[in-house]
Amino acid sequence: MSDRLMTEPEMPIDATARSAEVVLRTHGLSKRYGQRLAVDTLNLEIRRQDILGFLGPNGAGKTTTIRMLLGLITPTTGSIEILGHNLATQRAHLLPRVGALIETPALYLYMSGCDNLRAVGAILGGVSAKRIDEVLDLVGLRDRQRDRVRTYSLGMKQRLGVAMALLQDPEILILDEPANGLDPAGIVEMRDLMHRLSASGKTVLISSHLLSEVQQICTRVAIINLGKLVTETSVEALTRGHGEYSVQLEQAQEALAVVRAQPWGHNAHIATDGALITPAPEGRGKDLNLFLVNAGFAPDTLMLATQDLEQIFLQLTNGGSGDSK
Ligand SMILES: Nc1ncnc2c1ncn2[C@@H]1O[C@H](COP(=O)(O)OP(=O)(O)O)[C@@H](O)[C@H]1O
Ligand SMILES: [Mg+2]
C-alpha cells in the first residue's frame, strides 16, 4: 500500500467525535535561535481528554514547543492560550494547572517512591498526604511506594515522574518523550495510565520521535517537522486504509490482471510484499473471496489493508531529516 501512497499523499478525513472544548491552543507560535527557526508559525489545538502524540524526528522542534507551553522560554512570535487564557499575561494562574515531565524525571534514587513524592510536594507546597496516596494509586505504584527508586524499572521511574507531574492535580499533562527506552510492557502500562487520566477528564500531550509509541499510547497525532506542523489527525484515521483488501495468493500477477478487468478492480495493484491490494465487489471481503476462488485464485489470506504507518511518517517528514537544515 505504501507505494501507492507515494502518489496519493492526501490524508484521510477525520470523523472521530471529540469534546468541543479547546484547552490548549497556539497561534502562529515561533521560536528562533539565531538563523534557525526551531518552531515555525505553529498552530496547534488540543481538546479536553485528548491524548495527543506530538510526533517528529529529532530536532523537529518538539522540546522547544513544550518549553514554550510551560513558560520556560519566551516565544519569538505568536501566542499560547491555555484554558482560555493567554499564557503570557496569566502565567502564575495557569502554570499550576499544567503538569509536566521533561525527558527523564529528576529522582532521588536512594529514597523511596513515596519519599520522592513527599520531597517534591514539600517544594510545591499544599500537597496533602492523601494526594500522594492518590497519585501513587493512579500510576500503579502503591505496592512499591516504600521501595527505593534504585530498584524500580525504567517504566516505574517514568510513572513516578508522571505521579510528580500530577501532584497539583493539573488539568493538562505535558510529557516530553516519556516512553523513550520503555520496553513493550512499559509502553502498555504508560498507555493504560494515559487512558485512565483521559477518562478522568485530563488532557495529555506526549512528544515522541517514534510513531510506534505514539500509535499505541495516543488517540490523536500532530506531526511536526522542521518546526512546522505537517498534519493533525486521529490515530484511527491515520491507520485506516481506503477499504481495500490485502490478499496473499499464488499467481498474484495473473490474479491482478483478472481483477483489474472488473468494474470494481481498476485500482488494484501489487504491494512491495507481493500481496494483491484490491477493492472488493460492493466493498465486501466475502464477495472478493468468492470472486477470486471462482476465478481459480484461492487466497491464502485475505484481510483489510491498513496503511503502512512508518512509510507515511517518513513521507510526511521527508525521511525524518529534522536536523538537516
Ligand atoms: N537553546 C538552543 N539554542 C540553539 N538552538 C537550539 C536550542 N534548543 C534547540 N535548538 C535547535 O532547535 C531545533 C529544535 O530542537 P528541539 O526542540 O530540541 O527538537 P526535538 O525536541 O524535536 O528533538 C534543533 O535544530 C535544535 O538544534
Ligand atoms: Mg526533544
Side-chain angles (χ1 to χ4, degrees), residues 127-137 142 167:
V127 175
S128 65
K130 179 166 163 280
R131 182 62 191 159
I132 289 176
D133 282 345
E134 279 170 10
V135 297
L136 281 165
D137 254 349
R142 177 163 240 179
L167 280 174

Side-chain angles (χ1 to χ4, degrees), residues 36 55-63 103 176-177 180 207-210 224-227 313 317 319-325:
R36 184 181 293 263
L55 180 68
N58 287 324
K62 303 180 296 294
T63 299
E103 279 158 7
D176 195 10
E177 306 261 0
N180 207 352
S207 82
S208 173
H209 62 284
L210 294 176
I224 180 181
N225 190 40
L226 300 171
F313 181 48
T317 59
S321 56
D323 242 348
S324 66
K325 187 161 51 163

Side-chain angles (χ1 to χ4, degrees), residues 197-265:
L197 292 172
S198 165
S200 74
K202 313 264 184 233
T203 307
V204 185
L205 182 148
I206 291 180
S207 82
S208 173
H209 62 284
L210 294 176
L211 180 60
S212 53
E213 287 178 358
V214 158
Q215 187 196 352
Q216 289 182 73
I217 299 173
C218 301
T219 53
R220 297 190 66 81
V221 190
I223 298 179
I224 180 181
N225 190 40
L226 300 171
K228 283 194 167 75
L229 189 68
V230 179
T231 187
E232 203 279 332
T233 183
S234 71
V235 168
E236 201 260 323
L238 198 63
T239 52
R240 196 191 302 139
H242 300 289
E244 293 171 314
Y245 288 83
S246 169
V247 188
Q248 296 280 355
L249 73 183
E250 288 163 20
Q251 301 180 290
Q253 287 296 347
E254 290 83 346
L256 176 66
V258 174
V259 163
R260 275 207 163 148
Q262 306 305 311
W264 45 266

Side-chain angles (χ1 to χ4, degrees), residues 54 56-67 70 72 99-107 154-165 174-182 190 205-209 213:
F54 191 40
N58 287 324
K62 303 180 296 294
T63 299
T64 304
T65 302
I66 286 175
R67 295 181 72 206
L70 297 173
L72 298 172
L101 171 61
I102 300 203
E103 279 158 7
T104 41
L107 299 170
L154 179 63
M156 292 167 72
K157 286 179 189 155
Q158 289 301 81
R159 280 184 285 136
L160 184 59
V162 174
M164 285 178 175
I174 297 182
L175 311 172
D176 195 10
E177 306 261 0
N180 207 352
L182 292 188
M190 187 63 78
L205 182 148
I206 291 180
S207 82
S208 173
H209 62 284
E213 287 178 358

Side-chain angles (χ1 to χ4, degrees), residues 278-294:
T278 173
E282 311 288 335
R284 290 174 51 136
K286 180 182 166 191
D287 291 347
L288 175 62
N289 203 351
L290 279 172
F291 173 85
L292 289 169
V293 169
N294 287 336

